[in-house]
Amino acid sequence: MTAISSARARTCRLSPRPTLDVAVPDDWRATCQQLLDDAHARSPVPGILAATFTSDGILWEGHVGAVTRQYRIGSITKTFTAVAVLQLREARELDLDDPLARHVPDAPYGEATLRDLLSHSSGLTAEPIGPWWERTPGVPWDMLAELNGHPHHALPPRLAYHYSNLGYALLGEVVARQRGTTWYDAVRDKILGPLGLADTTYHPAVGAALGTSRHPRSGALVEEPAFDSVAMAAAGQLWSTLADLARWGTFLVEGRDDVLPGAVLKEMRTAASADPDTQHEGAYGFGLRLLWRAGSTLVGHTGSMPGFLAALFTDAASGVGTAVLTNATTGVAPEELASALVVRAATAARSESTPEVTPSAEPVGGPATGLSGEWYWGNTEMTLRPTSAGFFLHTPNGVRTFAAVTAEEFVGLDGYFAGERLQVVRRSDGSVSHLEVVTFVLTREPYDPTAPIPGGVPQPLVSSPD
């Protein structure tokens, strides 16, 4: 195997993998394993390794063929780069609307904004000028900048999503210069270390998988090269394990205050760009691929480097995710496989671990305790159930969550009322007259005549004479 450059060579040894014994149905385990077996039967790659997980740990892990622990994860690396950039934004060391040149004056495409680079909407060419970077020794930053010094835009900025590996190399240099270190050292110190991702490394650990592919005619298994990407590292350098990817996949939907808050992760997984012809299938946020599913969004990324394919996706609604790793250049559709495993895992988790919770009829202590019970928006019935921090409003379109700002004011946290203020309106005697949120007037009785109903109280229809 072609050795990764010794310029940054380190000896990496994998730490013990934690295990979690979570009871799941045997038939669900068998279904997941069958998906792996079917994928392997369609294309006999050396091996496929997969796991499903929640924030509690790994629910199921399976494999087929010959597998090991650590694999190259390719462009899943971009999710780490994006988090590193957002960390700098949260520290007020940059703004996403800054042009690249403000932070890297010698960079090509200096007019591109960080926001556009993060969302692949800058119009940059997909690959850097020069030899095929994934299969040749990497070049240092100054050479990458020189080779790409005569910018070529594939598309006008912000016209459409256009994936760019070069764009993420440029973002990696932003991280390096703002942190005063290398891109990887910044990621290691600010992300991998705090999250305990000790087995996610720049270079392969001892015993890591060997990258392979099959000759399309003879079927012979051949070895693929693995080089240090150097200036392109931020686009696809990292190696990782199922256990580390499971923790990372949970972080990408939950966040953690000491690394990047959940509210910022929500911003990252909001659609920022899309291909006009395929946007019905998904879009791209900041460093995150978004796949649409009924009732939820899968958040994550795929990865591809010579000899390796990978995928990591987490269901943002349920928190259930899947990671897939294989040491093959072709033959496996990791995004499709991961998506199928997530759907099955989320279904099993809902039925086995997270049954639907019916709110208690007894109000709990909290700021909305006196508001419990039935409310009406006109003739539309709703039910308010207090929580310790606010209340749930059960509507015909789903449950909406509100948090208390004061005893008389609440703010919506999701859905149609997200960010909107709900006011408790009282009568002169202190009793509650109605609730009002963005012109919606909620009353205890349908069209309560004592409340200021927009348009007045409707009158019964009078039958017309025959």
Side-chain angles (χ1 to χ4, degrees):
M1 180 177 183
T2 305
I4 286 184
S5 165
S6 61
R8 298 189 48 146
R10 300 171 182 167
T11 300
C12 305
R13 294 193 177 273
L14 299 177
S15 59
R17 178 176 58 202
T19 59
L20 179 70
D21 186 15
V22 177
V24 294
D26 288 340
D27 59 346
W28 176 69
R29 291 178 183 272
T31 299
C32 290
Q33 184 62 49
Q34 189 63 53
L35 286 170
L36 295 190
D37 293 342
D38 291 346
H40 191 260
R42 288 191 295 270
S43 180
V45 298
I48 309 172
L49 188 63
T52 59
F53 56 85
T54 67
S55 59
D56 292 325
I58 291 177
L59 296 176
W60 167 86
E61 182 176 331
H63 71 272
V64 60
V67 299
T68 185
R69 287 191 58 202
Q70 195 189 48
Y71 292 72
R72 201 167 195 178
I73 60 173
S75 288
I76 296 175
T77 299
K78 292 180 175 68
T79 65
F80 293 88
T81 300
V83 167
V85 173
L86 268 294
Q87 286 180 325
L88 290 167
R89 195 281 303 271
E90 289 301 288
R92 299 187 178 183
E93 295 183 29
L94 53 76
D95 187 276
L96 297 189
D97 292 317
D98 289 346
L100 172 63
R102 181 171 299 174
H103 304 285
V104 187
D106 58 329
Y109 302 93
E111 76 287 350
T113 69
L114 305 184
R115 182 184 303 276
D116 291 344
L117 292 171
L118 283 166
S119 61
H120 294 294
S121 60
S122 62
L124 266 67
T125 181
E127 303 292 349
I129 295 171
W132 187 353
W133 69 274
E134 295 171 324
R135 292 180 57 85
T136 56
V139 301
W141 166 258
D142 56 354
M143 185 176 296
L144 181 71
E146 181 180 352
L147 287 170
N148 292 272
H150 301 286
H152 166 68
H153 284 83
L155 295 174
R158 292 176 291 284
L159 177 65
Y161 163 83
H162 183 69
Y163 194 84
S164 176
N165 281 303
L166 176 60
Y168 266 74
L170 302 180
L171 289 171
E173 187 65 14
V174 171
V175 172
R177 298 207 185 182
Q178 289 297 116
R179 293 297 187 192
T181 184
T182 67
W183 163 81
Y184 175 70
D185 286 345
V187 167
R188 182 195 60 203
D189 295 345
K190 298 295 183 179
I191 300 174
L192 303 180
L195 292 178
L197 305 182
D199 298 333
T200 300
T201 58
Y202 188 94
H203 291 296
V206 175
L210 181 73
T212 70
S213 66
R214 288 195 180 275
H215 192 283
R217 293 181 179 174
S218 69
L221 193 66
V222 299
E223 182 180 343
E224 292 283 2
F227 289 103
D228 183 335
S229 302
V230 192
M232 290 294 297
Q237 175 68 29
L238 294 180
W239 298 69
S240 193
T241 64
L242 285 182
D244 271 17
L245 289 180
R247 288 192 287 270
W248 183 242
T250 292
F251 169 80
L252 290 177
V253 297
E254 293 187 357
R256 212 174 78 177
D257 287 347
D258 63 331
V259 178
L260 202 63
V264 181
L265 269 299
K266 182 176 287 189
E267 178 185 1
M268 290 180 65
R269 65 177 185 265
T270 300
S273 66
D275 184 321
D277 297 325
T278 59
Q279 58 186 318
H280 59 286
E281 299 174 357
Y284 207 87
F286 294 155
L288 296 175
R289 172 95 166 102
L290 312 174
L291 304 179
W292 310 141
R293 294 295 179 269
S296 67
T297 303
L298 302 189
V299 177
H301 218 288
T302 54
S304 173
M305 288 293 278
F308 295 95
L309 293 170
L312 173 67
F313 285 98
T314 306
D315 179 83
S318 68
V320 175
T322 294
V324 174
L325 297 169
T326 185
N327 56 329
T329 302
T330 61
V332 176
E335 181 177 300
E336 178 182 326
L337 180 56
S339 298
L341 287 167
V342 167
V343 170
R344 283 156 180 77
T347 301
R350 281 193 296 269
S351 62
E352 295 296 316
S353 304
T354 55
E356 182 179 354
V357 177
T358 302
S360 170
E362 295 297 324
V364 300
T369 299
L371 305 177
S372 179
E374 293 181 354
W375 289 87
Y376 294 85
W377 175 47
N379 279 333
T380 302
E381 183 177 358
M382 303 181 181
T383 304
L384 189 152
R385 301 294 184 188
T387 67
S388 60
F391 62 83
F392 294 123
L393 186 64
H394 294 251
T395 79
N397 295 320
V399 181
R400 301 292 176 251
T401 309
F402 285 79
V405 178
T406 69
E408 304 292 297
E409 188 176 11
F410 299 79
V411 63
L413 300 183
D414 49 29
Y416 188 79
F417 297 117
E420 307 288 0
R421 297 301 176 109
L422 181 145
Q423 192 71 38
V424 179
V425 181
R426 297 185 180 274
R427 303 183 183 92
S428 59
D429 63 0
S431 62
V432 176
S433 166
H434 60 279
L435 310 178
E436 186 167 346
V437 52
V438 286
T439 77
F440 284 56
V441 175
L442 308 184
T443 58
R444 286 294 195 181
E445 300 293 332
Y447 287 118
D448 185 346
T450 67
I453 302 298
V457 178
Q459 299 302 308
L461 290 172
V462 177
S463 299
S464 57
D466 293 337

